[in-house]
Amino acid sequence: MNEKNNHKKDIVILVVCIVLLFLGCLAFFSARWYITEFGDTGFDSILYTLFSEMSGTDSAVIRNFLLTALLPALAAFVLLTLFFWLRRGNGEKIYPFTKKRARIISLVLSCVMLFSAAVTVDLPGYLYYVSQQSTIYQEEYVDPLQAEITFPEQKRNLIYIFLESMENTYMSQDVGGALDRNTMPELTELVLDEENINFSHTDGIGGFHNMTGASWTIGAMVAHTAGIPLKVPIGVDRNEYGQDSFLPGVNTMTNVLQEAGYYQTLMVGSDANFGGRKPYFEQHGLDRTFDIFTAREAGIVPPGYFVFWGMEDMHLFDFAKQELTKIAAQEEPFAFTMLTVDTHRTNGYVCRKCVGLWGEQYENVISCSSKQVAEFIRWIKQQDFYENTTIIIAGDHVTMDEGYIDRNVAEDYERTVYNCIINSPVETAYEKNRQFVAADMFPTTLAALGCEIEGDRLGLGTNLFSGKPTLVEEMGLEEFDGELTKTSDYYTKNFFFKR
């Protein structure tokens, strides 16, 4: 009986060792893959990726994970398993390990790989912060529907263009970039135009810093439009996050403009459901969403068309022109938001408009995007609705293409996100030498429409047109980010669940 029990015990221990070894290998290679592919975006972004809707993901991302993370993990697991436990036909151990020693070494190795993976994605730092409670929302958050916001008598239209991964880094050093060449000259010219506004962290061309909870696209879109980070409260399951209910307790810019009588649309070239973008906007007052599927229906691309994340930006801009012409013919003021995709990591997508000016594919895609955005702006300026329309061009976050950054950008360069405001009825003396983040774009956008905001703060963001210090300027970026990383019962109770 004892011999039988010992045999069962050996099998259980062996299974545990093998499972832990596999998990260790998978975690080790997956962590390295994630950081290499997406950069240090924060553990919040990893949690969101794990628990959110993944439909519409570029197949290249999945293929890359399979080839550079899962396959090496499986190979390492098989080799290590054979190394520890392979025996000859007569039961003799091939390698000089006793059964006990093989177990101990495999368990230690598993723990080392799991710990290495945790350090790679900064799980210890994340756990340190989430073990603490933040009071930043109770002390600093301003609900936009509770704030006094006064619109001008003639409400202005808004066109908000999110540029995927567009940062100032791609400019030449003489104008504030990190390169010896300017790969985005047209976007540079836009911010150098004295009639336009570029809020900057320097006295020249600059922009805003990444903030915790806004280092990936939907997180950034939430920050830009709600003035808060996107966080995944611990213990919430997938079905409660994103599709069924997306931050139902938060009032956003879409809610504000809805109450002001705006007709609002979102246009993306991919699957709008990816990452919860469509649910987020539609659950907060959006009237209509356009994406790869509606582009097919409208004849912008053929039925079944799908490249990269959906369709190229050249088709997206054609679609935008078509729909803006229709939207502008309506009586209501409109807010049109769009998101480009060609400059998504890794290396971007080369469309037929791209010209090989540079040695790096990513730079050619950036240059192509710069040209297309500038052409789109020229088209808007020729339309009758332009006179009463404010245009905001902003990157969503700094690029996740860490390979490109490692090859081309000095470690001490301060990377910031691009922004340019065109045709604002409001001027400012506080444009330069600012420290700010995506959350500050929320009240700043409304101010650029001519709105007066009592207290000049909405969400956690500050109206940059005013002289009021941002929270980053008051606290410092590190302390501000630390507060956003901490656990907040207030956030979970008041934002994540419907009040």
Side-chain angles (χ1 to χ4, degrees):
M1 180 65 71
N2 287 337
E3 185 177 341
K4 188 175 181 179
N5 288 336
N6 287 337
H7 181 65
K8 288 182 178 178
K9 182 178 179 181
D10 286 344
I11 292 177
V12 170
I13 294 174
L14 179 62
V15 170
V16 170
C17 288
I18 290 176
V19 169
L20 285 177
L21 191 60
F22 173 72
L23 291 177
C25 291
L26 182 62
F28 178 79
F29 285 99
S30 295
R32 290 169 61 87
W33 170 80
Y34 191 92
I35 293 300
T36 301
E37 290 297 308
F38 299 104
D40 186 11
T41 58
F43 198 73
D44 271 335
S45 69
I46 297 176
L47 284 178
Y48 185 81
T49 301
L50 290 173
F51 289 104
S52 65
E53 172 63 42
M54 294 300 290
S55 64
T57 306
D58 176 20
S59 59
V61 175
I62 299 173
R63 184 169 60 253
N64 189 269
F65 172 78
L66 295 175
L67 292 175
T68 60
L70 184 59
L71 188 60
L74 287 172
F77 167 69
V78 170
L79 290 174
L80 288 170
T81 300
L82 293 174
F83 184 70
F84 287 129
W85 290 288
L86 183 65
R87 294 178 179 275
R88 301 183 192 277
N90 60 5
E92 179 187 354
K93 188 76 175 69
I94 291 180
Y95 299 105
F97 294 121
T98 63
K99 186 187 299 184
K100 182 178 180 180
R101 184 174 296 178
R103 291 171 180 170
I104 293 174
I105 295 175
S106 68
L107 286 173
V108 170
L109 183 59
S110 300
C111 291
V112 169
M113 287 191 291
L114 288 169
F115 179 76
S116 175
V119 171
T120 299
V121 297
D122 195 28
L123 178 58
Y126 176 79
L127 293 176
Y128 168 76
Y129 277 109
V130 297
S131 66
Q132 306 173 58
Q133 274 286 337
S134 175
T135 59
I136 191 170
Y137 301 101
Q138 296 94 311
E139 296 172 357
E140 304 291 352
Y141 178 78
V142 176
D143 187 328
L145 291 190
Q146 300 302 316
E148 185 174 333
I149 303 173
T150 305
F151 281 79
E153 184 175 347
Q154 183 181 15
K155 293 169 183 170
R156 296 180 64 80
N157 304 312
L158 171 65
I159 297 177
Y160 204 110
I161 307 172
F162 282 104
L163 300 183
E164 172 65 47
S165 304
M166 192 61 71
E167 54 180 281
N168 299 302
T169 304
Y170 315 136
M171 298 179 188
S172 53
Q173 295 172 9
D174 61 309
V175 292
L179 309 180
D180 59 5
R181 63 273 185 199
N182 192 342
T183 64
M184 46 188 284
E186 296 83 5
L187 289 175
T188 304
E189 289 175 11
L190 284 175
V191 295
L192 288 175
D193 188 331
E194 293 184 356
E195 294 185 356
N196 301 333
I197 297 170
N198 164 240
F199 287 104
S200 172
H201 66 299
T202 69
D203 57 4
I205 297 174
F208 57 88
H209 301 279
N210 260 13
M211 63 179 263
T212 294
S215 58
W216 71 106
T217 298
I218 183 57
M221 295 178 97
V222 169
H224 279 250
T225 58
I228 61 171
L230 177 55
K231 293 180 65 68
V232 182
I234 294 174
V236 174
D237 67 33
R238 176 186 180 126
N239 290 329
E240 292 178 296
Y241 205 85
Q243 298 301 309
D244 298 333
S245 184
F246 201 122
L247 296 177
V250 173
N251 291 316
T252 72
M253 182 160 63
T254 322
N255 294 121
V256 173
L257 295 179
Q258 180 187 39
E259 293 229 336
Y262 277 71
Y263 179 77
Q264 301 180 81
T265 55
L266 168 70
M267 178 176 287
V268 300
S270 53
D271 181 348
N273 281 304
F274 177 73
R277 295 171 300 185
K278 182 176 181 179
Y280 169 68
F281 281 95
E282 289 190 349
Q283 291 170 23
H284 291 88
L286 192 80
D287 292 290
R288 189 170 180 191
T289 303
F290 301 97
D291 64 1
I292 178 62
F293 303 112
T294 55
R296 293 172 186 169
E297 295 170 2
I300 297 296
V301 292
Y305 189 88
F306 198 97
V307 298
F308 200 41
W309 287 84
M311 65 181 181
E312 306 95 319
D313 290 341
M314 63 180 185
H315 297 306
L316 181 73
F317 286 117
D318 287 342
F319 200 13
K321 292 174 185 177
Q322 175 179 296
E323 295 304 325
L324 269 172
T325 301
K326 298 176 184 177
I327 292 168
Q330 300 176 176
E331 293 184 0
E332 310 102 306
F334 67 82
F336 179 86
T337 300
M338 64 183 295
L339 167 69
T340 65
V341 73
D342 283 0
T343 48
H344 202 287
R345 46 97 11 233
T346 301
N347 293 327
Y349 184 83
V350 178
C351 73
R352 65 171 180 264
K353 289 190 174 184
C354 287
V355 179
L357 298 174
W358 314 107
E360 292 258 6
Q361 175 177 308
Y362 199 43
E363 292 177 355
N364 291 326
V365 176
I366 291 163
S367 292
C368 188
S369 179
S370 178
K371 289 185 177 67
Q372 291 186 76
V373 172
E375 190 279 327
F376 184 55
I377 298 302
R378 285 194 295 272
W379 178 85
I380 293 174
K381 288 184 175 182
Q382 295 168 359
Q383 309 309 306
D384 292 339
F385 62 77
Y386 171 69
E387 183 179 355
N388 192 43
T389 299
T390 296
I391 306 169
I392 296 184
I393 310 172
D396 51 358
H397 50 72
V398 297
T399 185
M400 296 178 182
D401 195 332
E402 288 301 297
Y404 173 80
I405 296 299
D406 291 342
R407 290 191 300 272
N408 296 282
V409 181
E411 288 186 12
D412 60 350
Y413 177 75
E414 189 174 9
R415 296 166 61 194
T416 56
V417 185
Y418 178 90
N419 74 91
C420 181
I421 301 177
I422 301 172
N423 203 27
S424 166
V426 183
E427 297 181 352
T428 179
Y430 306 101
E431 183 178 350
K432 303 301 181 182
N433 296 304
R434 305 300 304 270
Q435 294 297 313
F436 63 110
V437 291
D440 297 302
M441 294 301 292
F442 175 23
T444 301
T445 298
L446 291 177
L449 293 178
C451 296
E452 294 181 3
I453 305 167
E454 183 181 17
D456 287 309
R457 184 167 286 166
L458 298 174
L460 297 179
T462 301
N463 171 17
L464 296 170
F465 283 93
S466 74
K468 185 168 185 172
T470 66
L471 289 180
V472 174
E473 289 170 334
E474 291 181 353
M475 303 169 63
L477 182 60
E478 185 175 350
E479 182 181 345
F480 177 74
D481 267 344
E483 288 299 314
L484 299 188
T485 307
K486 291 178 182 178
T487 296
S488 172
D489 291 340
Y490 183 95
Y491 184 107
T492 303
K493 178 181 178 181
N494 293 283
F495 300 159
F496 196 82
F497 295 108
K498 194 172 183 65
R499 286 172 286 186

